[in-house]
Amino acid sequence: MSPSTRFTNETGVAVPLICGAMFPCSNPELVAAVSEAGGMGIIQPLSLTYVHKHPFKDGMKLIRSITKKPVGLNVLTEKSLSVVYRKRMEEYVDLALEDGVRFFVTALGNPRWVVERVEKHGGRVYHDVVARKWAEKARDGGVHGLIGVNSRAGGHAGPTSPEKLLEELEPLGLPVVCAGGVGDAATFARMLALGYDAVQMGTRFIATTECTAHADYKQAILDAKEDDIVLTMRVTGVPLAVIKTPLVEKIGTKAGPLARFLLQGRKTKHWVRAWYSLISAYRLKGATLKSSQDLWQAGRSVAGIHSVQPAAEVVRACAEAAA
Ligand SMILES: Cc1cc2nc3c(=O)[nH]c(=O)nc-3n(C[C@H](O)[C@H](O)[C@H](O)COP(=O)(O)O)c2cc1C
């Protein structure tokens, strides 16, 4: 039995382990496998519909054919996203609520509209934050929990170590989830012992049998050492953790001079991010499914990942270590 925490009490899952949303790696079979094993799989709606080609309702049906246990939905609330995109996100949230989804992970913006919709159904919204300043804003927006994205995370990494970030976020009184750098069961147990209410893992779940990412990507995760993870500004306009491959070395990790200038403006930074996100969505999709485009997101958690395993094995090992 793994320990109960505020997160498990609020969400009804057995193990305080979240398989974080991953564009483009969150295929429905992976999300469902983690939930069925007792963790919380998070649906990334763009990954589900655009990369894995399941219209949202069909994707939900596929997940429900594998598990009836709780799953969550990732909602990107970044300001730079278009009106059309915002409308679509609202539809996804409503469809998920209709399906019984009660856990939502918001990222990159003001989560208030999601909280307002979800609270009517007794659901819970946890927000991704990299520093206390954003956590305070999210708390003021009504969120029920915080996901502390640290400097070791895959995807958009923060500037602070897992230990320091917990010190910053704990006094706010909300449940805090550790996101970043956890690739093995011993580190999972250590983060719970430190005081985190749950752990969100991404990279570890790419190297699972249920994840449909290309075998070369999985192998690159197994081969990578901590120092092979670099932060690049060239993909989305905010630091993104990727494996240092010849392609990454060729395109460099710093934003170009014009983008750097525009990223300093309060308004213009949103344009740059929207532009980067548009081109990177296509590029990252190719990198997941084809081996030739080696732009592979991963966190420093690669240090603890040594084999491709079924997702249920990962969840079981974590539950045992924490017990
Ligand atoms: C390939 C990849 C894609 C990701 N995409 C998203 C995303 O679309 N939305 C999101 O909120 N977080 C995203 N993340 C962050 C993860 O949900 C999670 O917080 C992170 O992977 C934890 O760090 P770890 O990889 O060291 O376990 C992504 C991470 C990875 C590795």
Side-chain angles (χ1 to χ4, degrees):
M1 265 290 272
S2 80
S4 68
T5 66
R6 286 180 290 183
F7 170 78
T8 57
N9 292 338
E10 285 191 346
T11 58
V13 301
V15 186
L17 170 56
I18 301 172
C19 170
M22 290 185 281
F23 180 90
C25 302
S26 293
N27 53 291
E29 297 83 358
L30 171 63
V31 173
V34 174
S35 286
E36 184 57 19
M40 173 75 87
I42 305 289
I43 301 163
Q44 212 292 357
L46 297 184
S47 193
L48 182 69
T49 55
Y50 169 66
V51 181
H52 300 287
K53 305 284 180 219
H54 298 284
F56 192 82
K57 274 188 176 176
D58 295 352
M60 284 296 318
K61 235 190 222 162
L62 173 57
I63 290 170
R64 288 306 181 203
S65 71
I66 304 171
T67 189
K68 301 282 184 280
K69 294 185 181 170
V71 295
L73 181 76
N74 185 217
V75 188
L76 299 179
T77 47
E78 161 75 40
K79 229 190 194 165
S80 60
L81 301 168
S82 67
V83 180
V84 182
Y85 176 87
R86 160 78 189 258
K87 259 226 101 23
R88 191 161 299 165
M89 273 291 156
E90 289 178 3
E91 277 167 26
Y92 293 150
V93 170
D94 289 343
L95 287 172
L97 283 166
E98 254 173 52
D99 187 83
V101 174
R102 292 293 179 268
F103 184 67
F104 294 80
V105 174
T106 49
L108 297 174
N110 190 337
R112 191 181 285 279
W113 71 264
V114 185
V115 174
E116 281 167 4
R117 265 180 149 81
V118 166
E119 265 187 347
K120 288 188 200 136
H121 299 262
R124 286 286 187 256
V125 179
Y126 281 36
H127 191 66
D128 275 354
V129 295
V130 295
R132 176 158 173 141
K133 168 175 134 183
W134 306 113
E136 284 171 357
K137 285 200 171 176
R139 180 199 54 190
D140 297 345
V143 302
H144 311 97
L146 302 167
I147 300 191
V149 181
N150 61 55
S151 55
R152 301 176 59 76
H156 290 123
T160 310
S161 72
E163 293 79 6
K164 186 90 202 335
L165 191 54
L166 181 64
E167 270 174 36
E168 274 185 35
L169 302 180
E170 216 172 17
L172 295 178
L174 295 171
V176 187
V177 178
C178 170
V182 184
D184 59 278
T187 314
F188 171 83
R190 194 162 65 77
M191 289 303 127
L192 291 186
L194 210 60
Y196 278 108
D197 290 272
V199 174
Q200 172 161 286
M201 292 188 196
T203 307
R204 170 61 271 192
F205 284 110
I206 300 172
T208 56
T209 44
E210 291 85 353
C211 182
T212 53
H214 196 281
D216 290 353
Y217 187 177
K218 296 182 185 181
Q219 191 58 45
I221 288 173
L222 304 187
D223 293 343
K225 290 180 231 34
E226 221 176 290
D227 294 349
D228 296 326
I229 305 303
V230 293
L231 293 177
T232 177
M233 293 290 286
R234 290 208 78 110
V235 183
T236 58
V238 271
L240 187 77
V242 294
I243 300 175
K244 189 166 64 181
T245 58
L247 175 70
V248 170
E249 286 186 292
K250 191 173 134 208
I251 60 179
T253 53
K254 293 198 173 69
L258 176 63
R260 267 207 304 275
F261 173 70
L262 294 174
L263 278 167
Q264 283 164 15
R266 278 188 64 180
K267 277 221 168 95
T268 51
K269 74 177 176 198
H270 296 293
W271 306 341
V272 180
R273 286 181 193 162
W275 169 245
Y276 271 135
S277 298
L278 266 179
I279 44 174
S280 66
Y282 180 73
R283 211 172 200 176
L284 290 170
K285 176 184 163 197
T288 318
L289 307 173
K290 297 189 221 137
S291 62
S292 56
Q293 300 185 34
D294 44 358
L295 187 59
W296 293 321
Q297 300 177 73
R300 288 176 176 263
S301 46
V302 291
I305 306 172
H306 307 296
S307 63
V308 173
Q309 294 180 316
E313 278 293 302
V314 177
V315 178
R316 192 189 46 76
C318 286
E320 277 178 17

